[in-house]
Each structure stands twice: as structure tokens, then as C-alpha cells.
Amino acid sequence: MKEVVEIVFFELEEDVSEEQFQNASQIFQSNFVALQDGYVSRKLTKSIDGRWADIAIWRDMDAAQAVGKNMGESEFARNYVSLIKNKSIQMHHMSIIHG
């Protein structure tokens, strides 16, 4: 099985501060993401033009897909996602070839 990189590009809702979002991301990380089966690592990134990317590495595609199904059951995940413009979300899953 190959590890899978999940990259989610997005923008924040207009009334959400960067500090508010980073705090929510840390809570989401500690109380949801890091506890998921198959979790390897996660990075939150921001470009100069204000676009964000949440980059997670999972043990395999099954683990990555299971997390998506579990998110609706977590208040921490729901809070995190509520700060993101829904229409801006672009999600990609890719197998790691080298590295």
C-alpha cells in the first residue's frame, strides 16, 4: 500500500480572522485528525495571495476516505469546516511516488 497525500485548497469565510482559523485548526488537529486510524502527518499552509491548503498524509487511500466519512460526526471537524468558504474547496488525493 502506498501512502496518500490529501491536499485541500480553500479560502476562509469573509468574517473569519487568520488567528481564529489557526486556533480552530490546532483544535481540529489535536482532537480529531491526529486520532484517526492511518494518520501520518498534516501541514496547514497559506499562499501570499491568501489561499490556504491543508495537506495531510495518510497510510493509504482507505484511511484517507474513512476520515472524510468521520468528519461529520466530530464537533471539532464541523467547527473547522464552518470557517471555510464551501464553494472554494478543491480536494485532491495523490499516491506518494517518491520521498
Side-chain angles (χ1 to χ4, degrees):
M1 287 186 267
K2 291 186 178 184
E3 287 182 331
V4 170
V5 176
E6 177 181 77
I7 304 173
V8 183
F9 296 101
F10 58 90
E11 297 173 10
L12 300 182
E13 288 286 359
E14 299 299 326
D15 61 343
V16 174
S17 72
E18 191 170 313
E19 181 180 1
Q20 177 187 7
F21 184 68
Q22 288 178 8
N23 289 336
S25 177
Q26 289 173 349
I27 292 168
F28 173 56
Q29 171 68 27
S30 299
N31 295 286
F32 180 76
V33 178
L35 305 176
Q36 300 303 298
D37 184 44
Y39 168 74
V40 176
S41 67
R42 175 178 174 252
K43 302 286 185 201
L44 180 64
T45 66
K46 182 182 174 198
S47 69
I48 258 178
D49 68 357
R51 294 220 9 113
W52 294 78
D54 196 325
I55 304 167
I57 299 179
W58 302 99
R59 177 186 58 228
D60 54 33
M61 184 60 81
D62 289 340
Q65 291 176 337
V67 171
K69 293 175 185 173
N70 295 336
M71 284 185 66
E73 299 171 16
S74 166
E75 68 179 281
F76 306 108
R78 288 191 308 269
N79 182 57
Y80 176 74
V81 172
S82 74
L83 304 176
I84 296 170
K85 284 183 186 175
N86 193 36
K87 291 186 179 198
S88 72
I89 296 172
Q90 297 177 357
M91 181 182 293
H92 306 275
H93 288 99
M94 298 177 231
S95 296
I96 296 177
I97 304 303
H98 183 273

